[in-house]
Amino acid sequence: MSIQEPLTELPIKTADTGFYRGFSLNVTVISKIIISILVVWCIVWPTDAGRILGEWNSVILANFAAWYIWSVGFFIIVCLGLAIWPTAGRLNLGQPGEKPEFSNFSWFSMMFGAGIGVGMLTWAVAEPVAHFGNNPEVIQGITNGGAADNVRMAYKWSFLHWGLSAWACYAVAGLSLAFFSYRRGLPLTIRSSLTPLFGTALSGRLGHLIDIVAVVATILGVAQTLGFGVEQFVAGLTRIGISGLMAEDGGATGMGIVVTLVVIMGASTLSALSGVGKGIKWLSNINMVLSIILLGFFIIFGATFFGAQAMVLGVFDYLIALPEMSFNVFRSDGVEGSEDFLLSQWQGWWPVFYWAWWIAFAPFVGLFLARISRGRSIREFVLGAMIVPALMCFVWFSWAGGTAIDLELNGGANGVIFGAANGDKIFAMTEFMLAPIAQALAWGMALLIVVLLMTFLVTSADSAVLIVNTINAAGDEGPKARPHIMFWGAALALVVGGLLISGGTSAIQTAMVIGALPFSVVMVLMCIALIKAIYNDGRREAAGVATTTAEMSSTPAE
């Protein structure tokens, strides 16, 4: 039986004229309708929206928690397996001999800033602190919440949520898109990654559905990140002396939400209009430099030894427990307050929420990673887009979060840090460290964090707008019409604002968990399709059949 050349054409119908020229009407219009309905629902009927979203969330957590846990564990195996597999690891995510467009520093800066940078400023302090107070070992009575014997457990679980699991979700999407777009010449859109399974059927309704699911998941995933960012940005503005934006409970007021979204989304829309190679690249480089300065402050002037110990022991504990943590599902016995019930509830609050967040974020970060990773090998991609960023997260958690825990345990903070809202913890910590020396230093550090947070938020938002438009434009990476960039910038701001109004960050979390579910199915299929494609390419190479568009174009006609 002869071996056929791979599919290299996937026609997607786009409008030839008018406002939507160059865009897929089926994907763009339906996506806009879905997001618009969500915005109107949350703003006009906030109470009903919050209640119904909560009910849907309960159903998903009760029935699909195991699916989320096992799916992400599968993604880790696939990514590491492809990097180790000789046939796969050496393959170029581009044409033979093609070189990367961006330097390693710019590549890593854009990847980290768009993928996880915003979360670092909130959760690098807040999450170790949260797990220091409670985690599965505390629930089971193995360690004591808030005591020194629980530090290692706090880091084991923090590293789980921000380590290989998170970046495996992004890497799966990025690898699939880069492989099929830059080796096969298929459109840079989500449907292309499933061609080994569904072939040219993806030109029609099935392909439209997959891209619509990806657009909705992207908007909700980025909305989750921006929701946390809005709360923290308001806390930062309050710390540097701008009043009236924060409520008594530590959350943002309506005015605070509006001001923050206008500033962030206005700047991100302007950046998106300039494209990846200009605005996004330079913003990413700036926030990487500022991140290094802030992290250096924690390493040098914070809990230096405590952080180093947390890093070494935390990584050891994490790697040893990774297989069990990645596949173990806590089953509720239905008895409220029992150990099994509490373990299941904790898993829904933390791992399941995070896996949904990373999956919802995957079409955005994955397509963005593919866009900036052309010309790199699969092995290089996995090392650079999965392992290195995970280690960077571990460093942040060890010294930023470790400094907070050490100050509370041994530095006399007396609840100043632990008692602050999650978004305000990093500001409370730096003020506690610097205010006794000079109030101006504390103010200056708060200002640096606010600027860094803004660059992270703008980078994430403008990248998301460009990626959504790329999907809507059937994978066209070229310039997008300004009205469409402005629409999605405004839509993203309204989704964040509407969900915050209808129930705060918990409403955004609920909508995101719901939106991530259908795309999780797509991602599992992406893994299967990628493995099938690489295996078949190995057979093609052995038989002397071309596997890339460059090889096909250079093959003489018979």
Side-chain angles (χ1 to χ4, degrees):
M1 181 178 178
S2 62
I3 300 177
Q4 302 294 320
E5 290 183 346
L7 180 68
T8 57
E9 292 185 6
L10 186 65
I12 302 173
K13 184 178 180 181
T14 58
D16 296 324
T17 59
F19 181 71
Y20 287 101
R21 184 169 64 88
F23 286 81
S24 168
L25 286 174
N26 294 283
V27 176
T28 307
V29 174
I30 295 175
S31 297
K32 286 183 175 181
I33 290 173
I34 292 172
I35 295 300
S36 298
I37 290 173
L38 177 62
V39 168
V40 171
W41 183 39
C42 291
I43 292 178
V44 178
W45 297 284
T47 303
D48 289 340
R51 176 180 56 80
I52 294 173
L53 286 173
E55 292 172 355
W56 289 353
N57 186 57
S58 298
V59 172
I60 288 177
L61 292 181
N63 296 281
F64 294 97
W67 168 257
Y68 277 122
I69 298 293
W70 294 336
S71 295
V72 173
F74 176 58
F75 300 155
I76 296 176
I77 293 173
V78 169
C79 289
L80 295 179
L82 290 176
I84 296 170
W85 183 12
T87 301
R90 62 178 172 78
L91 293 178
N92 190 317
L93 296 173
Q95 301 303 312
E98 189 171 353
K99 301 299 181 182
E101 176 183 357
F102 299 101
S103 68
N104 287 337
F105 182 81
S106 292
W107 180 52
F108 181 72
S109 298
M110 288 189 285
M111 176 173 55
F112 188 78
I116 222 161
V118 175
M120 282 293 92
L121 291 180
T122 299
W123 297 106
V125 176
E127 181 148 351
V129 167
H131 298 324
F132 180 60
N134 189 41
N135 58 56
E137 280 76 16
V138 172
I139 294 173
Q140 297 173 83
I142 299 172
T143 56
N144 298 293
D149 69 336
N150 196 39
V151 172
R152 291 178 65 169
M153 297 302 103
Y155 276 95
K156 182 183 78 170
W157 290 103
S158 296
F159 289 175
L160 171 69
H161 300 148
W162 293 81
L164 298 180
S165 303
W167 291 94
C169 294
Y170 303 156
V172 162
L175 274 175
S176 298
L177 290 164
F179 184 91
F180 292 104
S181 295
Y182 299 138
R183 287 181 63 84
R184 302 283 173 81
L186 296 174
L188 185 62
T189 186
I190 304 300
R191 71 177 79 186
S192 296
S193 61
L194 300 184
T195 50
L197 301 180
F198 302 108
T200 55
L202 292 167
S203 291
R205 293 180 180 176
L206 177 61
H208 300 330
L209 176 62
I210 290 168
D211 283 348
I212 291 167
V213 166
V215 169
V216 173
T218 297
I219 293 297
L220 294 177
V222 176
Q224 177 70 65
T225 297
L226 294 180
F228 285 134
V230 165
E231 297 282 352
Q232 188 168 35
F233 194 72
V234 166
L237 292 177
T238 302
R239 290 280 180 177
I240 63 176
I242 300 176
S243 60
L245 304 179
M246 181 179 283
E248 293 182 1
D249 62 359
T253 63
M255 178 60 69
I257 293 171
V258 171
V259 169
T260 301
L261 288 175
V262 168
V263 171
I264 298 300
M265 296 311 303
S268 65
T269 301
L270 291 175
S271 178
L273 290 169
S274 70
V276 174
K278 296 180 181 178
I280 295 175
K281 175 183 175 181
W282 287 108
L283 275 173
S284 298
N285 288 342
I286 290 170
N287 60 37
M288 179 56 68
V289 171
L290 293 178
S291 295
I292 292 172
I293 293 172
L294 181 59
L295 181 59
F297 168 77
F298 290 129
I299 293 176
I300 297 171
F301 300 104
T304 305
F305 177 75
F306 189 96
Q309 187 177 42
M311 176 75 179
V312 174
L313 295 178
V315 169
F316 174 80
D317 292 335
Y318 163 69
L319 292 177
I320 293 297
L322 182 60
E324 180 184 0
M325 292 191 298
S326 297
F327 292 98
N328 181 43
V329 178
F330 294 119
R331 304 287 186 179
S332 174
D333 59 6
V335 180
E336 190 169 349
S338 68
E339 182 178 295
D340 287 341
F341 179 87
L342 293 175
L343 287 171
S344 176
Q345 185 181 53
W346 185 92
Q347 191 169 53
W349 286 342
W350 291 98
V352 173
F353 156 65
Y354 271 124
W355 296 176
W357 189 3
W358 305 148
I359 288 170
F361 224 48
F364 151 51
V365 181
L367 202 152
F368 186 71
L369 287 181
R371 169 65 183 82
I372 64 176
S373 301
R374 182 169 185 164
R376 299 182 183 274
S377 71
I378 288 180
R379 185 172 295 113
E380 183 183 11
F381 180 94
V382 170
L383 290 174
M386 184 175 169
I387 296 176
V388 174
L391 289 174
M392 189 65 177
C393 291
F394 297 165
V395 169
W396 267 93
F397 275 70
S398 298
W399 273 278
T403 297
I405 293 174
D406 187 52
L407 288 174
E408 290 284 2
L409 281 177
N410 308 306
N414 296 322
V416 170
I417 302 170
F418 285 9
N422 285 334
D424 195 35
K425 280 184 169 62
I426 192 169
F427 294 105
M429 180 173 68
T430 53
E431 182 171 336
F432 178 79
M433 294 170 65
L434 294 174
I437 302 172
Q439 188 64 42
L441 287 177
W443 184 89
M445 182 57 71
L447 179 62
L448 183 148
I449 296 172
V450 167
V451 172
L452 177 58
L453 177 62
M454 180 174 176
T455 61
F456 273 139
L457 287 168
V458 170
T459 303
S460 293
D462 63 9
S463 301
V465 169
L466 286 176
I467 293 310
V468 164
N469 273 310
T470 298
I471 297 173
N472 288 334
D476 179 13
E477 299 178 68
K480 306 298 185 295
R482 290 174 179 266
H484 297 286
I485 291 177
M486 296 173 69
F487 171 86
W488 285 111
L492 188 53
L494 289 171
V495 168
V496 176
L499 288 170
L500 285 175
I501 290 171
S502 66
T505 54
S506 61
I508 301 180
Q509 174 181 331
T510 298
M512 181 268 301
V513 170
I514 296 168
L517 184 59
F519 192 70
S520 67
V521 178
V522 174
M523 286 186 63
V524 170
L525 294 175
M526 290 169 77
C527 290
I528 297 170
L530 183 60
I531 293 170
K532 179 180 178 181
I534 293 174
Y535 172 74
N536 286 336
D537 275 4
R539 296 176 61 226
R540 291 186 181 103
E541 287 185 357
V545 177
T547 60
T548 66
T549 52
E551 292 170 343
M552 293 175 198
S553 62
S554 63
T555 301
E558 295 182 356

